[in-house]
Amino acid sequence: MPSIPTLSLDDAKRVIAAAEAESSTQGQPSNIAVVDAGGNLVAHVRMDGAWLGSIDISINKAFTARAFDTATKDLGDLAQPGEQFYGINASNDGRVMIFAGGIPLERDGQVVGAVGVSGGTGVQDQAVAEAAASAY
Amino acid sequence: MPSIPTLSLDDAKRVIAAAEAESSTQGQPSNIAVVDAGGNLVAHVRMDGAWLGSIDISINKAFTARAFDTATKDLGDLAQPGEQFYGINASNDGRVMIFAGGIPLERDGQVVGAVGVSGGTGVQDQAVAEAAASAY
Amino acid sequence: MPSIPTLSLDDAKRVIAAAEAESSTQGQPSNIAVVDAGGNLVAHVRMDGAWLGSIDISINKAFTARAFDTATKDLGDLAQPGEQFYGINASNDGRVMIFAGGIPLERDGQVVGAVGVSGGTGVQDQAVAEAAASAY
Amino acid sequence: MPSIPTLSLDDAKRVIAAAEAESSTQGQPSNIAVVDAGGNLVAHVRMDGAWLGSIDISINKAFTARAFDTATKDLGDLAQPGEQFYGINASNDGRVMIFAGGIPLERDGQVVGAVGVSGGTGVQDQAVAEAAASAY
């Protein structure tokens, strides 16, 4: 019987705690979301003062990173005008995010979920997401 | 300048932790969400094994309880055929939940947010939401 | 060349002012919206403290009252289980409201727009909408 | 208990009146919307003759300016192809507007809401929104 490796709520909480710590260090509050192997939300937090518009974006960056097993930053490169996935962000009812901050979470070479961060610049979001991914 | 009382991420985490504890006691995993005074998501968790379809429901039960400053269970009574709010669940792009599990969070007589729980029977969800609200 | 009688922004403001006055008298803050002959929003106000979930409902009660040239209260009677328009509230992307508070605005026997009120009980919303319509 | 500064309906009406005056001076009718600190609509007007398609745009420019505490014009610069937020307008169910006309409303250095204007060129919408913001 096939099975898919995935992550638990405890994993998600640990990943989010690491993101919160990095975000606090940067002094830029974030929205942080984790999805599981099915691309479905496991946990989300909006730090005090973080952008309201980033709730949706953090959740969908995580979705996107798992939906394509690709960091949203890298997908973004392929989604520019003239590139092979240009227009992909209109798919999936607008849930595909094509800018930095979404990273797949992997174990033993397999993607088991993803984290999405939104609330700062692309560079900030990426750094927070990387800190989060490192905690998995 | 007017201001509205709201809740913090720490408040939301405390509320969610209480919901998780009650849900574990029941042996029925839940999705749990907390929104702030503006009806915007502050935090969400899906306990291991909880229904996927309940992610959306928990978030929208919390939204509904703040959107109408009313428990979703009570709104549900008013939304039955022949009652005064029959059909309200088609409003707000389908985000209005009219069954048990969403409860406003109040302090000093003012609604400052809400909690939404989904994953079990109506009775279970309501009990988890009440345990959550008691922790605020 | 055919033309459709409609209402102006000044008309809408007068209608809304009357609704605000009645709502204040009742001590129950409302959302109030006016649409024109095309069913399109002309003006909306949310009184301080009125329900967040009623923004959408007030706008769509006004839309509905013009969309079917019928008070939403009356449409609601026809939309109960077993009645001829049962299920109509799933149409129009969920914009059809089937409970009290939306009233067509007429002049010389022609519907030129509508007002929608949401924020209280059905009886309250209807009374505020009637006061509003009387001011047109 | 935390609280967030917001604006009142009276504030919103004053802001809108200023926008209407500037719009009339320009001879270009506008849709004008104001949201509060929670990003939720407080008031909207469509001046006689203003574009129907701008109802949604004005409301969503205001939403966007509060959702990211940023003028939509500035967000637009960051959302161009190759820039760090390219694709952000697909988020939040298409509510993110990335062209001129949405401006945060601030007091004492805090964003308490936003105004959104649509109906003319980008230059016109921005001028009307700035006149509106000055009246807050």
Side-chain angles (χ1 to χ4, degrees), chain B residues 2 36-40 63-64 66-70 75 78 80-94 96, chain C residues 49 51-57 60 76 79-81 86-87 89-90 93-100 118 120-123 125:
Chain B
D36 65 10
N40 298 302
F63 166 76
T64 301
R66 170 51 182 151
F68 301 103
D69 292 352
T70 304
L75 187 65
L78 302 174
Q80 297 302 312
E83 299 300 326
Q84 63 175 309
F85 292 154
Y86 178 57
I88 196 172
N89 54 320
S91 76
N92 288 276
D93 296 317
V96 176
Chain C
W51 288 337
L52 298 178
S54 287
I55 300 168
D56 175 273
I57 294 175
N60 285 326
Q80 297 299 314
Y86 176 60
N89 55 324
D93 294 318
R95 297 191 64 199
V96 176
M97 298 292 106
I98 54 170
F99 45 108
S118 180
T121 64
V123 170
D125 289 349

Coordinates of all heavy atoms in Angstrom, one line a residue, chain B residues 2 36-40 63-64 66-70 75 78 80-94 96, chain C residues 49 51-57 60 76 79-81 86-87 89-90 93-100 118 120-123 125:
Chain B
P2 N -10.8 57.3 17.6 CA -11.4 56.0 18.1 C -10.4 54.9 18.0 O -9.5 54.8 17.1 CB -12.6 55.8 17.1 CG -12.3 56.6 15.9 CD -11.4 57.7 16.3
D36 N -9.3 38.3 14.9 CA -9.2 39.5 15.8 C -10.5 40.3 15.6 O -11.5 39.9 15.0 CB -7.9 40.3 15.5 CG -7.9 40.9 14.1 OD1 -9.0 40.8 13.4 OD2 -6.8 41.4 13.7
A37 N -10.4 41.5 16.1 CA -11.6 42.4 16.1 C -12.0 42.8 14.7 O -13.2 43.1 14.4 CB -11.3 43.7 16.9
G38 N -11.1 42.8 13.8 CA -11.4 43.1 12.4 C -11.9 41.9 11.6 O -12.1 42.0 10.4
G39 N -12.0 40.8 12.3 CA -12.5 39.6 11.6 C -11.4 38.8 10.8 O -11.7 37.9 10.1
N40 N -10.1 39.3 11.0 CA -9.0 38.7 10.2 C -8.3 37.7 11.0 O -8.1 37.8 12.2 CB -8.0 39.9 9.8 CG -8.7 40.9 8.9 OD1 -9.2 40.6 7.9 ND2 -8.7 42.2 9.4
F63 N -14.7 33.8 11.8 CA -15.1 35.0 11.1 C -16.6 35.3 11.4 O -16.9 36.5 11.7 CB -14.9 34.8 9.6 CG -15.6 35.9 8.7 CD1 -15.0 37.1 8.6 CD2 -16.8 35.6 8.1 CE1 -15.7 38.1 7.9 CE2 -17.4 36.5 7.3 CZ -16.9 37.8 7.2
T64 N -17.4 34.3 11.2 CA -18.9 34.6 11.4 C -19.2 35.1 12.8 O -20.0 36.0 13.0 CB -19.6 33.3 11.1 OG1 -19.4 32.8 9.8 CG2 -21.1 33.5 11.3
R66 N -17.4 36.7 14.8 CA -17.1 38.2 15.0 C -17.9 39.0 14.0 O -18.3 40.2 14.4 CB -15.6 38.4 14.7 CG -15.2 39.8 14.6 CD -15.6 40.7 15.7 NE -15.2 42.0 15.6 CZ -15.9 43.1 16.1 NH1 -17.0 42.9 16.8 NH2 -15.5 44.3 16.0
A67 N -18.2 38.5 12.8 CA -18.9 39.4 11.9 C -20.3 39.7 12.3 O -20.8 40.8 12.0 CB -19.0 38.6 10.5
F68 N -20.9 38.9 13.2 CA -22.2 39.2 13.7 C -22.3 39.2 15.2 O -23.3 39.2 15.8 CB -23.2 38.2 13.1 CG -23.3 38.1 11.7 CD1 -22.7 37.2 10.9 CD2 -23.9 39.2 11.0 CE1 -22.7 37.2 9.5 CE2 -24.0 39.2 9.6 CZ -23.3 38.2 8.9
D69 N -21.1 39.2 15.9 CA -21.0 39.2 17.3 C -22.0 38.2 18.0 O -22.6 38.6 19.0 CB -21.3 40.7 17.8 CG -20.1 41.6 17.4 OD1 -19.1 41.2 16.9 OD2 -20.3 42.8 17.6
T70 N -22.0 37.1 17.4 CA -23.0 36.0 17.8 C -22.4 34.7 17.6 O -21.7 34.4 16.7 CB -24.2 36.1 16.8 OG1 -24.8 37.4 16.8 CG2 -25.3 35.1 17.2
L75 N -26.8 31.9 15.7 CA -27.1 32.4 14.3 C -27.8 31.3 13.5 O -28.7 31.5 12.8 CB -25.8 32.8 13.6 CG -26.0 33.5 12.3 CD1 -26.7 34.8 12.5 CD2 -24.7 33.7 11.6
L78 N -31.4 31.1 13.9 CA -32.1 32.2 13.2 C -32.1 32.1 11.7 O -32.7 32.8 11.0 CB -31.5 33.6 13.6 CG -31.5 33.9 15.1 CD1 -30.7 35.2 15.4 CD2 -32.9 34.0 15.6
Q80 N -32.7 29.1 10.1 CA -33.5 28.0 9.6 C -34.6 28.4 8.7 O -35.0 29.6 8.7 CB -34.1 27.2 10.9 CG -33.1 26.7 11.8 CD -32.2 25.7 11.2 OE1 -32.6 24.8 10.5 NE2 -30.9 25.8 11.4
P81 N -35.1 27.5 7.9 CA -36.2 27.9 7.0 C -37.4 28.5 7.8 O -37.7 28.1 8.9 CB -36.7 26.5 6.4 CG -35.4 25.7 6.5 CD -34.7 26.1 7.7
G82 N -37.9 29.6 7.3 CA -38.9 30.4 8.0 C -38.5 31.3 9.0 O -39.3 32.2 9.4
E83 N -37.2 31.3 9.4 CA -36.7 32.2 10.4 C -36.1 33.5 9.8 O -35.9 33.5 8.6 CB -35.7 31.5 11.3 CG -36.2 30.3 12.1 CD -37.3 30.6 13.0 OE1 -37.3 31.8 13.6 OE2 -38.3 29.8 13.2
Q84 N -35.9 34.5 10.6 CA -35.6 35.8 10.1 C -34.3 35.9 9.3 O -34.2 36.9 8.5 CB -35.6 36.8 11.2 CG -34.6 36.6 12.3 CD -34.6 37.7 13.3 OE1 -34.5 38.9 12.9 NE2 -34.6 37.4 14.6
F85 N -33.3 35.1 9.5 CA -32.1 35.2 8.8 C -31.9 34.0 7.8 O -30.7 33.7 7.4 CB -30.9 35.3 9.7 CG -30.8 36.6 10.5 CD1 -30.2 36.6 11.7 CD2 -31.4 37.7 10.0 CE1 -30.1 37.8 12.4 CE2 -31.3 38.9 10.7 CZ -30.7 38.9 12.0
Y86 N -33.0 33.3 7.5 CA -32.9 32.2 6.5 C -32.2 32.7 5.2 O -32.7 33.7 4.6 CB -34.2 31.6 6.2 CG -34.2 30.5 5.2 CD1 -33.5 29.4 5.4 CD2 -35.0 30.6 4.0 CE1 -33.5 28.3 4.4 CE2 -35.0 29.6 3.1 CZ -34.2 28.5 3.3 OH -34.2 27.5 2.4
G87 N -31.1 32.0 4.8 CA -30.4 32.4 3.6 C -29.1 33.2 3.9 O -28.4 33.5 2.9
I88 N -28.9 33.6 5.1 CA -27.7 34.4 5.4 C -26.4 33.7 5.1 O -25.4 34.4 4.8 CB -27.7 34.8 6.9 CG1 -26.8 36.0 7.2 CG2 -27.4 33.6 7.8 CD1 -26.9 36.6 8.6
N89 N -26.4 32.4 5.0 CA -25.2 31.7 4.7 C -24.8 31.8 3.3 O -23.7 31.4 2.9 CB -25.3 30.2 5.1 CG -26.5 29.5 4.6 OD1 -27.6 30.1 4.5 ND2 -26.4 28.3 4.1
A90 N -25.6 32.4 2.4 CA -25.2 32.6 1.1 C -24.4 33.9 1.0 O -23.8 34.2 -0.1 CB -26.4 32.6 0.1
S91 N -24.5 34.8 2.0 CA -23.8 36.1 2.0 C -22.3 36.0 2.2 O -21.8 34.9 2.5 CB -24.5 37.0 3.0 OG -24.0 36.7 4.3
N92 N -21.7 37.1 2.1 CA -20.2 37.1 2.4 C -19.4 36.0 1.7 O -18.5 35.4 2.3 CB -20.0 37.1 3.9 CG -20.4 38.3 4.6 OD1 -19.7 39.3 4.7 ND2 -21.7 38.4 5.1
D93 N -19.8 35.8 0.4 CA -19.1 34.9 -0.4 C -19.0 33.5 0.2 O -18.0 32.7 0.1 CB -17.7 35.3 -0.7 CG -17.6 36.6 -1.5 OD1 -18.4 36.7 -2.5 OD2 -16.9 37.5 -1.2
G94 N -20.1 33.1 0.9 CA -20.2 31.8 1.5 C -19.4 31.6 2.7 O -19.2 30.4 3.2
V96 N -20.2 32.6 5.8 CA -21.1 32.6 7.0 C -21.5 31.1 7.4 O -22.2 30.5 6.6 CB -22.3 33.4 6.8 CG1 -23.2 33.4 8.0 CG2 -21.9 34.9 6.5
Chain C
G49 N -19.9 50.7 14.9 CA -20.3 49.6 15.7 C -21.2 48.6 15.0 O -21.6 47.6 15.6
W51 N -22.4 45.6 12.5 CA -21.7 44.3 12.2 C -20.9 44.3 10.9 O -21.4 44.8 9.9 CB -22.8 43.2 12.0 CG -23.5 42.8 13.3 CD1 -23.0 42.9 14.6 CD2 -24.8 42.2 13.4 NE1 -24.0 42.4 15.4 CE2 -25.1 42.0 14.8 CE3 -25.8 41.8 12.5 CZ2 -26.2 41.4 15.2 CZ3 -27.0 41.3 12.9 CH2 -27.2 41.0 14.3
L52 N -19.7 43.7 11.0 CA -18.9 43.6 9.8 C -19.5 42.7 8.7 O -19.4 43.0 7.5 CB -17.5 43.0 10.2 CG -16.7 43.8 11.2 CD1 -15.4 43.0 11.5 CD2 -16.4 45.1 10.6
G53 N -20.2 41.7 9.2 CA -20.8 40.8 8.2 C -21.9 41.4 7.4 O -22.4 40.8 6.4
S54 N -22.4 42.5 7.9 CA -23.6 43.2 7.3 C -23.2 44.1 6.1 O -24.0 44.6 5.4 CB -24.4 43.9 8.3 OG -25.1 43.0 9.1
I55 N -21.9 44.3 5.9 CA -21.4 45.2 4.8 C -22.0 44.5 3.5 O -22.7 45.1 2.7 CB -19.9 45.3 4.8 CG1 -19.4 45.9 6.0 CG2 -19.5 46.0 3.5 CD1 -17.8 45.8 6.2
D56 N -21.5 43.3 3.3 CA -21.9 42.5 2.1 C -23.4 42.4 2.1 O -24.0 42.5 1.0 CB -21.2 41.2 2.2 CG -21.6 40.2 1.1 OD1 -22.6 39.5 1.3 OD2 -20.9 40.2 0.1
I57 N -24.0 42.1 3.2 CA -25.5 41.8 3.2 C -26.3 43.0 2.8 O -27.2 43.0 2.0 CB -25.9 41.3 4.5 CG1 -25.3 39.9 4.8 CG2 -27.5 41.2 4.6 CD1 -25.6 39.3 6.2
N60 N -25.9 43.6 -0.9 CA -26.6 42.6 -1.7 C -28.1 42.5 -1.5 O -28.9 42.1 -2.4 CB -26.0 41.2 -1.5 CG -24.7 41.1 -2.2 OD1 -24.5 41.7 -3.3 ND2 -23.7 40.5 -1.7
G76 N -38.2 36.4 0.1 CA -37.9 35.3 1.1 C -39.0 34.4 1.2 O -38.9 33.2 1.4
A79 N -38.9 31.9 -1.4 CA -37.7 31.1 -1.4 C -37.6 30.1 -0.3 O -36.5 29.4 -0.1 CB -36.5 32.0 -1.4
Q80 N -38.7 29.9 0.4 CA -38.7 28.8 1.4 C -38.7 27.4 0.8 O -39.2 27.3 -0.3 CB -39.9 29.0 2.4 CG -39.9 30.4 3.1 CD -38.7 30.5 4.0 OE1 -38.4 29.6 4.8 NE2 -38.0 31.7 4.0
P81 N -38.3 26.4 1.6 CA -38.4 25.1 1.1 C -39.8 24.8 0.5 O -40.8 25.1 1.2 CB -38.1 24.2 2.3 CG -37.2 25.1 3.1 CD -37.7 26.5 2.9
Y86 N -37.5 28.4 -4.3 CA -36.5 27.8 -3.4 C -35.2 27.5 -4.1 O -35.2 26.9 -5.1 CB -37.1 26.5 -2.9 CG -36.2 25.7 -2.0 CD1 -35.7 26.2 -0.8 CD2 -35.8 24.4 -2.4 CE1 -34.9 25.5 0.0 CE2 -34.9 23.7 -1.6 CZ -34.5 24.2 -0.4 OH -33.6 23.5 0.4
G87 N -34.1 28.0 -3.5 CA -32.8 27.8 -4.1 C -32.3 29.0 -4.8 O -31.1 29.1 -5.3
N89 N -31.3 31.7 -3.9 CA -30.1 32.4 -3.2 C -28.8 31.8 -3.6 O -27.8 32.4 -3.3 CB -30.3 32.5 -1.7 CG -30.6 31.1 -1.1 OD1 -31.2 30.3 -1.7 ND2 -30.0 30.9 0.1
A90 N -28.8 30.7 -4.3 CA -27.5 30.2 -4.8 C -27.2 30.8 -6.2 O -26.1 30.6 -6.6 CB -27.6 28.7 -4.9
D93 N -24.0 34.2 -8.0 CA -22.8 34.1 -7.2 C -23.1 34.4 -5.7 O -22.2 35.0 -5.0 CB -21.7 35.1 -7.7 CG -21.2 34.7 -9.1 OD1 -21.0 33.5 -9.3 OD2 -21.0 35.6 -9.9
G94 N -24.2 34.0 -5.3 CA -24.5 34.1 -3.9 C -24.9 35.6 -3.4 O -25.0 35.9 -2.3
R95 N -25.3 36.4 -4.4 CA -25.6 37.8 -4.1 C -27.1 38.0 -3.7 O -27.5 39.1 -3.4 CB -25.3 38.7 -5.3 CG -23.8 38.7 -5.5 CD -23.4 39.8 -6.5 NE -23.7 41.1 -5.9 CZ -23.8 42.2 -6.6 NH1 -23.7 42.2 -7.9 NH2 -24.1 43.4 -6.0
V96 N -27.9 36.9 -3.9 CA -29.4 37.1 -3.7 C -29.7 36.9 -2.2 O -29.6 35.8 -1.7 CB -30.2 36.1 -4.6 CG1 -31.7 36.2 -4.3 CG2 -29.9 36.4 -6.1
M97 N -30.2 37.9 -1.6 CA -30.5 37.9 -0.2 C -32.0 37.7 0.0 O -32.8 38.4 -0.7 CB -30.1 39.2 0.5 CG -28.6 39.5 0.5 SD -27.6 38.3 1.6 CE -26.9 37.3 0.3
I98 N -32.4 36.8 0.8 CA -33.8 36.4 0.9 C -34.4 36.6 2.3 O -35.3 35.9 2.7 CB -34.1 34.9 0.4 CG1 -33.1 34.0 1.3 CG2 -33.8 34.8 -1.0 CD1 -33.5 32.5 1.0
F99 N -34.0 37.7 2.9 CA -34.6 38.0 4.2 C -34.7 39.5 4.3 O -34.1 40.3 3.5 CB -33.8 37.4 5.4 CG -32.3 37.6 5.4 CD1 -31.7 38.5 6.2 CD2 -31.5 36.8 4.5 CE1 -30.3 38.6 6.2 CE2 -30.2 37.0 4.5 CZ -29.5 37.8 5.4
A100 N -35.5 40.0 5.2 CA -36.0 41.4 5.3 C -34.9 42.4 5.3 O -33.8 42.2 5.8 CB -36.9 41.6 6.5
S118 N -28.8 46.2 6.8 CA -28.5 45.0 7.6 C -27.7 45.5 8.9 O -26.9 46.4 8.8 CB -27.6 44.1 6.8 OG -27.2 43.0 7.5
G120 N -29.5 44.6 12.3 CA -30.4 44.3 13.4 C -31.2 43.0 13.1 O -30.8 42.2 12.3
T121 N -32.3 42.9 13.8 CA -33.2 41.8 13.5 C -33.9 42.1 12.2 O -33.8 43.2 11.7 CB -34.3 41.7 14.6 OG1 -35.1 43.0 14.6 CG2 -33.7 41.6 16.0
G122 N -34.6 41.1 11.7 CA -35.4 41.3 10.4 C -36.4 42.5 10.6 O -36.5 43.3 9.7
V123 N -37.0 42.5 11.7 CA -38.0 43.6 11.9 C -37.3 45.0 12.0 O -37.8 45.9 11.4 CB -38.7 43.3 13.3 CG1 -39.6 44.5 13.7 CG2 -39.6 42.1 13.1
D125 N -34.3 45.8 10.6 CA -33.8 46.1 9.3 C -34.9 46.6 8.3 O -34.7 47.5 7.6 CB -33.1 44.9 8.7 CG -31.8 44.5 9.4 OD1 -31.3 45.3 10.2 OD2 -31.3 43.5 9.1

